[in-house]
Amino acid sequence: MTQAEIKLCSLLLQEHFGEIVEKIGTYLIRTGTQPLRMIVNDTGLLLDQVKKALCVLIQHNLVTYQLQKRGFVEYEAQCKRVLRILRYPRYIYTAKTLYNDTGELIVEELLLNGKMTMSAVVKKVADRLTETMEDGKTMDYTDVSNTFVRLADTHFVQRCPLVPETTETPDAPPPPAPTLVIDEKEMYVVPRLNLVGKGKRRRSCDDEENGEHKAKKQKRDGESSEPPPDEGIYWQVNIDRFHQHFRDQAIVSAVANRMDQTSSEIVRTMLRMSEVTTSSSAPYTQPLSSNEIFRSLPAGYNIVKQVLDQYLTLLADDPLEFVGKSGDSGGGMYTVSILFEDFLTLSRFHPLIYFPLPLRFGSRCARIFRLLLRKKHLEQKQVEDFAMIPAKEAKDMLYKMLSENFVSLQEIPKTPDHAPSRTFYLYTVNVPSSARMLLHRCYKSVANLMERRQYETKENKRLLEKSQRVEAILASMQATGAEEAQLQEIEEMITAPERQQLENLKRNVNK
């Protein structure tokens, strides 16, 4: 973990979970695996505070625990999982795109709570959707359940590991830490629940005061005593499946840029057919026959079988190997290459690399970089000739990019003594290294933005509190039917310069 990543993790934990959880999480990120006793001693927090903070982190899969041979439990922070908090909005938006508002709220609730039972998610989402509907309309639990089942069928949500049932004697002491297990066959199996009901709206203040005693009595009478039908079966968001979906979108986009829209639609169909059966780390998708692909093409997509076979042949013969052929049965068996660096990585990498290069070194450096990506290895004289840049300028640009790790230098000696006069010096682009360098800069930029936002908010804390008080007074007076003159007088409590300062603050925070 670099210092920029640690700093960003700390800011994310503080923003989403508070100072105590942030202190525990940052400590584990910096020190690695630690037992509970060391965490309490080194952080100076109370034992109860540390336990509750660890519970929060474990609930959100940000910390894992492991039972050691000596009998004590050690806790380890999952740094990559913390950084994934930045992608939560993208996960939620993807769920909205694929499964409408219901899918969006299901994924949002699971991300906000870490782990939840299906019945709790369905009721919460139904209530939230009912509040946004017109008066007299409600959201049925069955509709939310159906969307949840679709998310599980496509592996966007999955079951959490459970404590296995044991046959130990009741007198035996419990283990220091439970061992959680999950059967892969049941990971996406939704329990049969007969959830009957509709979403409820929040009552107004008057209704709450009048019916508060009655509601509490009903709850005590036995409504809460009945356990939920799926008690103990918890669900969580399958982040790897979302990343697989993003990767598939990148593949389709790269094929469209390289060939045409029809080719990308064929590859999209192949990826959709094997999205559930193919592991996210597999180098190829499951083999699919030409006949299966033809039958699975989108309805209304006018393409005959012969044209499909021609497109598949073109994709398989392309030097970048978009599609591989693995057999001749069923009209030919085809797979989509997933772990290909050439066109997938570079298709996403080019816009990122071309933006900082012109800003940092000028547009000619971007030309040299694009040339090295295409030709792989070039000597300095070849770079000058191909890029059509004077020797002095090309040399200066190459050295600048070399010092910033945008390009690397590879030595190929002619003789064993590695004499400089008898050695080839080839410039090349190490794509993974450059991508990691850019990712590190992105983390650093996000951390700086978050710190700046905190500073702006802290500097204008008194003005923000005053604005909130005025808004609260205005809302209460409007509810009681105050006159326009009285409302105008309250609004004038904030002066014109203060209003301008508030506008500037909001604009900066939004940036």
Side-chain angles (χ1 to χ4, degrees):
M1 290 291 291
T2 62
Q3 290 298 320
E5 290 174 325
I6 295 174
K7 180 181 178 182
L8 179 56
C9 288
S10 175
L11 290 170
L12 287 170
L13 290 173
Q14 182 180 5
E15 181 175 348
H16 290 272
F17 302 104
E19 294 182 358
I20 296 178
V21 174
E22 179 268 328
K23 190 172 185 179
I24 300 295
T26 305
Y27 169 78
L28 289 175
I29 291 172
R30 291 185 180 277
T31 60
T33 307
Q34 294 290 345
L36 179 62
R37 180 176 56 83
M38 291 296 298
I39 299 174
V40 174
N41 290 339
D42 293 347
T43 58
L45 297 172
L46 299 176
L47 178 62
D48 187 55
Q49 290 177 321
V50 174
K51 286 183 177 181
K52 289 180 179 178
L54 288 173
C55 285
V56 171
L57 292 169
I58 293 172
Q59 171 78 7
H60 289 268
N61 298 318
L62 305 179
V63 164
T64 57
Y65 60 87
Q66 186 175 3
L67 181 62
Q68 298 298 318
K69 295 180 180 179
R70 298 180 183 179
F72 59 89
V73 181
E74 288 187 334
Y75 299 89
E76 182 180 5
Q78 301 298 312
C79 309
K80 291 184 178 179
R81 191 65 174 75
V82 177
L83 294 173
R84 292 292 179 266
I85 295 176
L86 292 170
R87 292 190 179 180
Y88 280 8
R90 192 177 179 189
Y91 302 149
I92 296 170
Y93 180 74
T94 302
K96 179 183 179 66
T97 304
L98 298 175
Y99 300 102
N100 301 323
D101 294 343
T102 308
E104 173 194 7
L105 293 183
I106 290 173
V107 172
E108 182 180 340
E109 286 296 329
L110 288 174
L111 289 174
L112 287 174
N113 295 277
K115 302 178 179 69
M116 293 180 72
T117 60
M118 177 182 172
S119 58
V121 173
V122 169
K123 292 176 183 177
K124 187 70 177 294
V125 171
D127 291 344
R128 291 183 61 183
L129 288 172
T130 299
E131 291 178 2
T132 61
M133 292 181 174
E134 299 176 358
D135 292 339
K137 294 184 179 180
T138 56
M139 189 69 184
D140 197 349
Y141 287 172
T142 306
D143 297 334
V144 182
S145 299
N146 292 337
T147 305
F148 193 98
V149 172
R150 291 169 60 197
L151 283 165
D153 290 341
T154 51
H155 296 186
F156 283 103
V157 297
Q158 63 184 10
R159 284 195 187 190
C160 302
L162 302 175
V163 180
E165 296 182 1
T166 58
T167 57
E168 296 180 357
T169 59
D171 298 334
T179 302
L180 304 180
V181 295
I182 185 67
D183 187 359
E184 293 186 3
K185 296 180 180 179
E186 298 182 354
M187 190 175 290
Y188 305 101
V189 177
V190 180
R192 294 178 178 271
L193 302 177
N194 187 19
L195 295 175
V196 180
K198 296 181 181 294
K200 300 177 182 178
R201 299 179 186 271
R202 290 182 181 177
R203 294 178 299 177
S204 62
C205 297
D206 296 336
D207 294 339
E208 288 180 358
E209 291 176 1
N210 296 333
E212 185 178 359
H213 179 70
K214 183 178 179 181
K216 288 182 178 180
K217 184 178 180 182
Q218 287 179 351
K219 192 173 183 180
R220 285 196 303 266
D221 287 343
E223 189 178 337
S224 62
S225 61
E226 183 180 348
D230 58 342
E231 184 179 15
I233 302 177
Y234 290 90
W235 293 82
Q236 62 186 355
V237 173
N238 185 6
I239 288 182
D240 291 336
R241 178 67 183 88
F242 277 97
H243 293 168
Q244 181 183 346
H245 177 75
F246 300 152
R247 182 202 62 199
D248 291 349
Q249 286 182 320
I251 292 173
V252 173
S253 175
V255 174
N257 293 334
R258 173 76 175 183
M259 302 188 75
D260 62 3
Q261 195 64 35
T262 304
S263 301
S264 67
E265 195 61 42
I266 293 171
V267 173
R268 187 197 304 274
T269 301
M270 296 174 67
L271 291 169
R272 189 175 63 249
M273 293 171 64
S274 57
E275 62 184 359
V276 176
T277 58
T278 303
S279 172
S280 58
S281 59
Y284 302 96
T285 60
Q286 295 292 329
L288 300 169
S289 68
S290 175
N291 296 330
E292 290 175 328
I293 299 171
F294 180 73
R295 288 193 298 268
S296 300
L297 284 172
Y301 201 77
N302 297 323
I303 180 173
V304 298
K305 179 68 166 58
Q306 184 179 1
V307 175
L308 172 65
D309 292 337
Q310 293 175 352
Y311 268 106
L312 289 172
T313 302
L314 285 174
L315 288 166
D317 293 341
D318 191 276
L320 295 182
E321 298 179 354
F322 301 102
V323 173
K325 190 171 183 180
S326 60
D328 296 321
S329 60
M333 302 295 290
Y334 296 91
T335 60
V336 179
S337 302
I338 294 175
L339 298 180
F340 43 83
E341 179 181 311
D342 283 336
F343 80 89
L344 175 59
T345 304
L346 296 182
S347 67
R348 317 301 288 178
F349 189 61
H350 279 189
L352 292 175
I353 204 73
Y354 291 159
F355 181 68
L357 274 173
L359 291 178
R360 202 173 184 86
F361 307 114
S363 59
R364 290 190 174 186
C365 281
R367 189 194 309 173
I368 293 174
F369 189 87
R370 188 187 301 112
L371 179 66
L372 291 174
L373 284 175
R374 182 173 298 175
K375 298 293 186 179
K376 304 296 183 185
H377 295 83
L378 289 176
E379 290 186 275
Q380 182 176 317
K381 184 66 171 62
Q382 293 175 311
V383 171
E384 299 165 6
D385 296 339
F386 284 127
M388 294 182 290
I389 297 176
K392 184 178 180 182
E393 291 185 25
K395 181 179 180 180
D396 185 49
M397 293 174 184
L398 283 170
Y399 287 174
K400 281 183 179 179
M401 288 193 290
L402 183 65
S403 64
E404 296 284 343
N405 295 323
F406 279 98
V407 300
S408 57
L409 191 63
Q410 184 173 348
E411 299 179 5
I412 302 179
K414 298 179 184 178
T415 56
D417 59 355
H418 289 261
S421 60
R422 294 184 294 275
T423 300
F424 291 109
Y425 294 94
L426 303 180
Y427 288 94
T428 185
V429 175
N430 187 341
V431 174
S433 175
S434 299
R436 282 194 298 270
M437 181 263 295
L438 280 178
L439 183 63
H440 171 75
R441 291 188 177 182
C442 289
Y443 285 147
K444 188 175 181 180
S445 299
V446 174
N448 289 341
L449 287 169
M450 294 180 70
E451 281 195 322
R452 183 66 188 181
R453 184 178 62 191
Q454 290 180 357
Y455 173 80
E456 292 282 350
T457 306
K458 185 178 179 180
E459 285 293 305
N460 297 274
K461 184 178 179 181
R462 294 182 61 184
L463 183 59
L464 286 172
E465 290 176 350
K466 179 180 179 181
S467 174
Q468 291 172 358
R469 287 196 303 269
V470 171
E471 290 176 359
I473 295 171
L474 283 172
S476 62
M477 292 185 68
Q478 287 174 352
T480 56
E483 296 180 358
E484 189 66 27
Q486 293 176 319
L487 297 177
Q488 184 70 25
E489 184 179 351
I490 297 299
E491 289 179 355
E492 290 176 355
M493 291 175 63
I494 299 180
T495 61
E498 288 177 337
R499 290 190 183 280
Q500 183 65 35
Q501 190 176 350
L502 278 172
E503 288 297 326
N504 294 336
L505 174 63
K506 290 178 180 178
R507 186 170 58 252
N508 292 336
V509 170
N510 287 336
K511 282 183 181 180

